Amino acid sequence: MKNYRTSLSTYWNKPSRAGYLFLAPSILVLLFFTVIPLIGTFALSFFKINIFFTNTTFTGFDNFLRVFQDERAVRSLIHTLYFTLLETPAQIIVGLLFAVLLSKNTRFNRFCRSTFYIPVICSLTSIAIIFSMLLDPNIGAIPYVLSQLGMPIPQFFRDPTLAMPTVAFMTVWKNFGVTMTILLTSIQGISPSLYESAEMDGATKKEQFFNITLPQIVPSLGFCILTNLIGSMQVFDQVYVATGGGPQFKTETAVQYIYSRGFSAPYELGYASSLSSVLFVLVAVIAITANVYMTRKERQMK
Amino acid sequence: MTIILVIIAFPFIWLVISSFKYEKDIISFPPKILADKYTFENYIKVWSTIPLLDYIKNTVIFSGGVVLTSVFFDSLAGYAFARMNFKGKSVFFYFVLLTMMIPFQVFMIPLFIEINKLGLLDTYAGLIIPKMTSAFGIFMMRSFFVTLPKDLEEAARVDGLNEFKIFLKIMLPLSKPTMLSLAIFTLMNSWNDLLYPLILTSSSKMRTLPAGLALFTGQNISFYGPVMAGTVISMLPLLIIYMFAQKYFVQSTAMSGMKE
């Protein structure tokens, strides 16, 4: 015991060794609860395995073949992409719009910023609960207002074609504060002298936005787009609470399908894992493509 | 801008007002924003319809445990990456970077199996341990620690402090604002997380607020009043903290967009 102690204390004393002790907890946790499970996902993809670990058999690529023949799986991937294509551009545009509009540090602007941030701190679960009541065609306030304006009452979450756009709208409403905050910080970091000299040259506000603001915030904008794309591909909470994947599975996303395959009867963990693997590849492809495209854009801007 | 303020605030105001309404006023059509009479009934009823006290307790223990351990471990690792030189540092750094790119949804099934095999399913340890560190936190703390002057630790070393004490007594106190931002960020994420606690808990006694509410709404969509009251109660703690620590909330988001 004493030996162990002295050796530990020499570790603490030597800067070249203490680093390992500082890193150890984090590295171990990340190894055991992120990296090993990730490898596990790929490994499980090749097995038929249920939650009770009975009748586990090696099935090779069968699960993957099944994913592409399973209409529900393919559609869940398409729905995920559809949601991503609806949500990401909308959130970036709305976030950027408010970042620009609220960039001046007036009292009113600060008040708006902190109000717009409130949905961000609430859980998607509670937001989804609020919206499913507000948009309920029988009792909701929003359908009522629309009907008073002479419009037909939309069914929102219950309409197969309207459900996904509604989910996307709700997500933008909840999350645009994040994009706004990141872009705002970036805009406020732009040197005022750039605008001053532009004004001297008689540049309009619009020209200033496109020639100064936009090029200067390209790195942050790229970051927002990338994190948003990756985040949207993982959409689950809002769908789980507001629609449960319905109507007619029209809002069933990949994660929702993985969840219902793996964690409810018949608890097919192997098959669900191969779905996860496919989703991972899809996320990686999108992330890498977006990243390459944006790095190129960034270089062009400079 | 004022119209947009109303659009953002309306759902919350409506929720709070409606949570005090009688069931018949909630489901009346045409809907009215204000009712003639208000009641605490929903707030009383929600405690007996769902184990809300358990949910709150679980959420506090889960989020609190995650915040405390993760801020400490992330600071340790971030400090090592920022200020220490040792063999294999860049390998470890890329390792951490890699884990940041992996979505939880991709490895949740093996994680569930792992926690299950360890016998930690449905326990606080099982909920907290996998979240005891985060790549994002390590990067955030690292980007703070690189900004400190080198003289600081050299002076401390001359005074005979060992590396851990330099960290604990000199560096950590200096990093309080960054640690607070990270703590708020971590708190917000674990308080609001749905999928993670949904998978790693199975009994209703162990559920957190989002998981409990989501399952309750799914089963009993007809109890509008208690659901609303429960939703208000689940959001309240973070909203109160937000009122006092707005700066740290915004900072934690702004920092996530920082590029090095």
Side-chain angles (χ1 to χ4, degrees):
Chain A
M1 190 65 203
K2 194 162 186 293
N3 241 336
Y4 167 76
R5 263 214 163 134
T6 43
S7 71
L8 199 64
S9 82
T10 56
Y11 260 92
W12 281 133
N13 284 322
K14 274 225 173 122
S16 57
R17 287 183 186 164
Y20 300 117
L21 290 179
F22 277 70
L23 285 187
S26 294
I27 297 288
L28 287 177
V29 168
L30 290 176
L31 183 70
F32 279 103
F33 300 107
T34 303
V35 176
I36 291 178
L38 178 72
I39 298 166
T41 297
F42 296 123
L44 284 178
S45 302
F46 298 100
F47 287 91
K48 185 173 181 251
I49 183 169
N50 64 27
I51 216 162
F52 313 105
F53 311 108
T54 50
N55 298 325
T56 303
T57 44
F58 180 79
T59 53
F61 282 97
D62 278 10
N63 283 335
F64 289 102
L65 292 175
R66 238 181 101 192
V67 169
F68 295 105
Q69 284 160 0
D70 178 355
E71 206 191 324
R72 221 174 125 188
V74 174
R75 271 192 305 183
S76 78
L77 290 169
I78 293 171
H79 295 155
T80 305
L81 288 172
Y82 179 46
F83 173 83
T84 304
L85 289 176
L86 284 173
E87 202 272 348
T88 306
Q91 171 152 339
I92 300 294
I93 290 167
V94 175
L96 179 62
L97 184 74
F98 286 114
V100 173
L101 288 176
L102 299 175
S103 63
K104 285 223 169 57
N105 265 327
T106 63
R107 213 187 204 169
F108 179 69
N109 281 0
R110 275 203 298 269
F111 178 71
C112 288
R113 281 182 221 156
S114 42
T115 312
F116 292 0
Y117 199 79
I118 291 177
V120 175
I121 60 174
C122 299
S123 66
L124 268 167
T125 308
S126 50
I127 302 285
I129 290 174
I130 298 175
F131 270 83
S132 45
M133 290 182 188
L134 265 180
L135 295 174
D136 189 304
N138 296 321
I139 61 155
I142 293 169
Y144 175 72
V145 172
L146 292 177
S147 75
Q148 288 308 96
L149 294 172
M151 279 183 248
I153 298 182
Q155 298 287 303
F156 293 109
F157 290 126
R158 296 180 196 171
D159 179 333
T161 47
L162 208 58
M164 195 57 111
T166 310
V167 173
F169 169 80
M170 180 174 81
T171 313
V172 173
W173 181 88
K174 187 216 173 313
N175 277 336
F176 81 90
V178 174
T179 311
M180 180 190 77
T181 305
I182 293 171
L183 295 179
L184 231 149
T185 319
S186 180
I187 288 173
Q188 289 180 333
I190 301 171
S191 147
S193 65
L194 284 174
Y195 292 103
E196 279 159 24
S197 56
E199 225 144 83
M200 295 241 272
D201 294 339
T204 61
K205 282 271 170 237
K206 200 175 146 199
E207 284 168 338
Q208 285 179 26
F209 172 74
F210 282 104
N211 294 322
I212 301 171
T213 314
L214 207 54
Q216 291 281 327
I217 61 167
V218 162
S220 314
L221 206 56
F223 173 85
C224 289
I225 295 171
L226 195 65
T227 47
N228 233 290
L229 283 174
I230 299 174
S232 305
M233 296 288 292
Q234 299 157 30
V235 50
F236 172 78
D237 300 19
Q238 54 278 58
V239 168
Y240 181 78
V241 179
T243 68
Q248 301 157 25
F249 299 121
K250 278 284 193 259
T251 59
E252 187 168 72
T253 61
V255 177
Q256 167 81 31
Y257 188 47
I258 293 168
Y259 179 81
S260 47
R261 269 286 158 176
F263 296 98
S264 57
Y267 302 104
E268 294 175 288
L269 293 182
Y271 182 55
S273 294
S274 48
L275 276 161
S276 296
S277 304
V278 173
L279 178 67
F280 181 64
V281 172
L282 211 59
V283 172
V285 167
I286 287 179
I288 292 167
T289 317
N291 205 9
V292 167
Y293 176 76
M294 272 165 328
T295 329
R296 206 179 293 162
K297 238 325 124 357
E298 216 172 296
R299 238 178 260 141
Q300 274 172 13
M301 288 281 195
K302 278 173 190 159
Chain B
M1 203 52 85
T2 319
I3 298 167
I4 290 154
L5 268 177
V6 173
I7 294 176
I8 299 296
F10 173 72
F12 293 111
I13 296 166
W14 169 85
L15 173 77
V16 173
I17 295 174
S18 303
S19 67
F20 289 104
K21 284 180 191 165
Y22 285 99
E23 199 76 19
K24 69 170 174 42
D25 285 325
I26 296 173
I27 56 172
S28 76
F29 200 88
K32 278 178 286 188
I33 291 180
L34 298 173
D36 304 328
K37 268 199 233 148
Y38 294 97
T39 170
F40 274 105
E41 202 180 69
N42 296 324
Y43 284 89
I44 297 162
K45 222 159 130 193
V46 70
W47 300 96
S48 54
T49 32
I50 52 174
L52 199 60
L53 202 63
D54 284 331
Y55 295 169
I56 294 172
K57 191 181 84 191
N58 296 337
T59 312
V60 169
I61 294 175
F62 165 56
S63 317
V66 169
V67 168
L68 290 178
T69 49
S70 140
V71 169
F72 182 64
F73 289 154
D74 293 351
S75 308
L76 273 173
Y79 178 76
F81 281 131
R83 310 198 69 89
M84 292 173 147
N85 277 315
F86 47 90
K87 248 191 218 156
K89 187 167 113 170
S90 60
V91 176
F92 285 120
F93 194 69
Y94 282 118
F95 175 85
V96 174
L97 193 69
L98 175 87
T99 64
M100 194 147 76
M101 321 265 180
I102 308 166
F104 164 73
Q105 284 79 352
V106 169
F107 61 86
M108 62 185 185
I109 290 165
L111 182 69
F112 162 80
I113 295 176
E114 219 177 301
I115 296 293
N116 191 9
K117 290 273 175 196
L118 289 169
L120 294 177
L121 208 63
D122 230 15
T123 65
Y124 293 123
L127 277 176
I128 294 169
I129 293 170
K131 295 258 175 190
M132 282 200 309
T133 196
S134 76
F136 169 74
I138 296 173
F139 280 90
M140 191 164 162
M141 292 315 294
R142 178 184 167 271
S143 59
F144 168 77
F145 283 124
V146 239
T147 63
L148 295 177
K150 191 90 188 150
D151 316 350
L152 221 52
E153 66 213 68
E154 265 153 24
R157 224 168 268 151
V158 173
D159 286 347
L161 289 182
N162 72 25
E163 294 303 314
F164 187 67
K165 283 202 175 124
I166 295 174
F167 167 76
L168 204 65
K169 296 210 161 131
I170 296 169
M171 300 300 182
L172 224 44
L174 286 171
S175 67
K176 258 185 209 150
T178 315
M179 278 168 62
L180 258 168
S181 296
L182 176 59
I184 294 269
F185 186 82
T186 314
L187 176 73
M188 196 162 81
N189 282 344
S190 25
W191 192 278
N192 291 337
D193 208 347
L194 170 65
L195 187 56
Y196 179 80
L198 200 59
I199 286 171
L200 295 185
T201 59
S202 54
S203 66
S204 74
K205 268 207 129 2
M206 276 304 290
R207 260 169 213 141
T208 58
L209 281 165
L213 277 176
L215 289 165
F216 179 60
T217 336
Q219 291 154 2
N220 310 280
I221 196 63
S222 48
F223 294 108
Y224 291 106
V227 168
M228 285 180 188
T231 310
V232 173
I233 293 169
S234 82
M235 296 193 305
L236 215 52
L238 281 187
L239 287 173
I240 291 170
I241 298 174
Y242 179 64
M243 271 162 45
F244 291 105
Q246 248 181 59
K247 193 181 119 198
Y248 298 105
F249 276 89
V250 174
Q251 215 170 53
S252 68
T253 305
M255 278 186 123
S256 71
M258 254 180 5
K259 278 204 160 180
E260 297 201 13

